[in-house]
């Protein structure tokens, strides 16, 4: 076996671009308003960087760059998949890395079949909460110029009895990417007179593209926000799968303790912290926990709530279930309410019960709806009386246990995981449910392969950094791994940073026009919420 060499990632400082372990190279200074500066191309160590810079507004600057590595030689290959058991279900699952004994036996069988395997040890990335050293061993066959050529060989490997997948090696963390297309927006609250806010555009059940929201709002810069539901089987599409707040109102609850961008005072005070939410319904002296806001009772996308099955911990792209659930709906839920067994209570603007009945209808303006299933429904039946009050108390806490009180100019957008904390790379990938050391079939490609990413950070001067990197070969760009994203944000000077939604959701709009190349074949993906930089004169 051999260990594949690590990659020296490109680094960019605000005002200075640099490649790892080489001297910094100047990037163009501030351009005229809304006009890109002349591109500057610099080649160092075989990597060429070309950046343009434009000032969109006083205090708002956008930098667009392409990094090309002449030494990179990615191609198509065939990767064997090791059979494993899914952690929670025990069902058969497949991982692209396996044990040393599995890799050795598989390589011997491939050689006996006349094939030439390459066996590579894959280490754990620099996560703060996973093992160090060997993650597993990867077995591959060949390097091919086209996907079709690799698929032809994959058929032979399948015939030899091995499950496999055709992969592009440019997505590997142990090999250099040949192209990276990056956009960076820098918002300086000391110079910018507008606001920065998260928005669902008035409807938590609506999916809309980042650029269309930006165009509608006349924003200077917009990027996609947090995780959201994309399938009817997981709930109502567009609803958030993590904590979200808009115009000072909490409209979705946290999935456990996960990273969030908190934009207070119209974004003039931005910070990043892991957030938890506790919501309690009170009828007289009786109390009951509310475990969801604006989501389908019994279904918890990304899990992270007490009593959920198969886990109460955060679990990325997993829908947990529960038969005992109390959910609050606000009038931002512009959609038919979930129907089915259980109890529904309608509250007026003064928290007085208007009606008690079955689950149906919609949320009227100025009203709140509570839906309960199982024992939570029984609690509503016992305590909700027409004309009586049921108050709902909401509590948001940061990672230090401090309460966050929302005002009308505050918003929150959440995703996972944390990338940088207190000036150091700190990726709590397992804690935030994006990888699982006990199940290598879970989250490997999502976290450990290069993907399109959207990230947010805050530097020591309080400037907000919004970053996208294209991936999945959109424009030839391959993206970042989670670890590469953390290193890049740290190189920008971020003292705190988090990963936002990525993949086909990654988008940045400047003056309402899309500036990156989303990876979905159908074009820019409609998303659940966005972050918008809005001028004071709009």
């Amino acid at each position: 076996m051999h260990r594949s060499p690590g990659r020296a990632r490109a680094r960019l400082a605000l005002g200075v671009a640099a490649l790892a372990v080489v001297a910094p190279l100047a990037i163009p200074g501030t351009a005229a308003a809304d006009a890109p500066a002349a591109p500057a191309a610099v080649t160092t160590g075989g990597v060429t960087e070309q950046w343009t810079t434009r000032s969109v507004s006083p205090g708002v600057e956008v930098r667009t760059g392409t990094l090309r590595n002449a030494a990179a030689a990615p191609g198509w290959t065939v990767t064997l998949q090791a059979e494993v058991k899914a952690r929670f279900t025990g069902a058969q699952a497949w991982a692209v890395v396996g044990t040393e004994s599995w890799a050795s036996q598989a390589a011997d069988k491939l050689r006996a079949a006349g094939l030439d395997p390459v066996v590579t040890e894959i280490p754990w990335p620099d996560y703060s909460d996973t093992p160090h050293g060997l993650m597993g061993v990867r077995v591959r066959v060949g390097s091919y110029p086209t996907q079709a050529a690799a698929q032809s060989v994959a058929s032979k490997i399948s015939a030899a009895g091995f499950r496999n997948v055709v992969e592009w090696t440019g997505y590997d963390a142990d090999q250099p990417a040949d192209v990276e297309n990056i956009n960076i927006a820098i918002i300086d609250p000391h110079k910018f007179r507008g606001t920065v806010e998260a928005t669902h555009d008035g409807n938590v059940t609506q999916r809309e593209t980042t650029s269309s929201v930006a165009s509608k709002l006349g924003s200077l810069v917009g990027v996609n926000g947090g995780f959201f539901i994309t399938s009817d089987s997981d709930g109502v599409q567009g609803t958030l799968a993590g904590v979200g707040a808009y115009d000072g109102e909490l409209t979705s609850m946290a999935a456990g303790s996960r990273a969030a961008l908190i934009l207070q005072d119209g974004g003039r005070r931005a910070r990043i912290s892991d957030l938890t939410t506790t919501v309690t319904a009170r009828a007289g002296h009786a109390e009951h926990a509310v475990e969801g806001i604006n989501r389908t009772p019994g279904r918890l996308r990304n899990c992270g709530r007490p009593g959920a099955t198969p886990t109460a911990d955060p679990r990325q792209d997993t829908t947990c279930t529960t038969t005992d659930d109390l959910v609050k709906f606000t009038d931002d839920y512009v959609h038919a309410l979930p129907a089915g067994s259980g109890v529904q209570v309608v509250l007026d603007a003064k928290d007085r019960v208007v009606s008690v009945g079955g689950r149906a209808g919609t949320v009227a303006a100025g009203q709140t709806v509570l839906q309960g299933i199982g024992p939570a429904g029984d609690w509503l039946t016992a305590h909700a009386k027409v004309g009586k009050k049921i108050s709902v108390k909401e509590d948001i806490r940061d990672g230090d246990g401090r309460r966050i009180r929302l005002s009308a100019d505050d918003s929150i957008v959440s995703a996972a995981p944390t990338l940088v904390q207190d000036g150091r790379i700190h990726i709590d990938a397992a804690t935030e449910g994006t990888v699982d050391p006990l199940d290598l079939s879970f989250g490997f490609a999502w976290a450990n392969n290069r993907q399109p990413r959207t990230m947010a950070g805050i530097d020591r001067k309080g400037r907000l950094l919004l970053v996208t990197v294209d991936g999945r070969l959109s424009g030839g760009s391959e993206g970042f791994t989670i670890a590469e994203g953390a290193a890049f944000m740290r190189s920008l000077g971020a003292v705190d940073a988090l990963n936002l939604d990525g993949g086909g959701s990654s988008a940045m709009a400047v003056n309402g026009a899309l500036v990156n190349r989303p990876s979905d074949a159908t074009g820019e993906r409609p998303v659940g919420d966005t972050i918008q930089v809005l001028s004071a004169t709009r």
Side-chain angles (χ1 to χ4, degrees), residues 284-300:
H285 296 292
E287 293 184 346
H288 198 286
V290 175
E291 296 296 355
I293 299 178
N294 293 325
R295 66 161 173 80
T296 301
R299 279 181 272 183
L300 303 91

Side-chain angles (χ1 to χ4, degrees), residues 382-403:
H383 297 285
K385 307 299 179 185
V386 174
K388 299 297 184 181
K389 292 187 69 172
I390 297 182
S391 60
V392 179
K393 179 182 178 182
E394 300 172 348
D395 189 76
I396 308 170
R397 301 278 172 168
D398 67 15
D400 296 320
R402 294 173 297 187
R403 186 174 182 184

Side-chain angles (χ1 to χ4, degrees), residues 154-179:
S155 298
K156 298 177 182 178
I157 296 173
S158 296
F162 294 99
R163 185 181 174 102
N164 60 78
V165 61
V166 172
E167 294 188 301
W168 176 252
T169 62
Y171 299 150
D172 296 342
D174 58 340
Q175 299 189 42
D178 58 341
V179 179

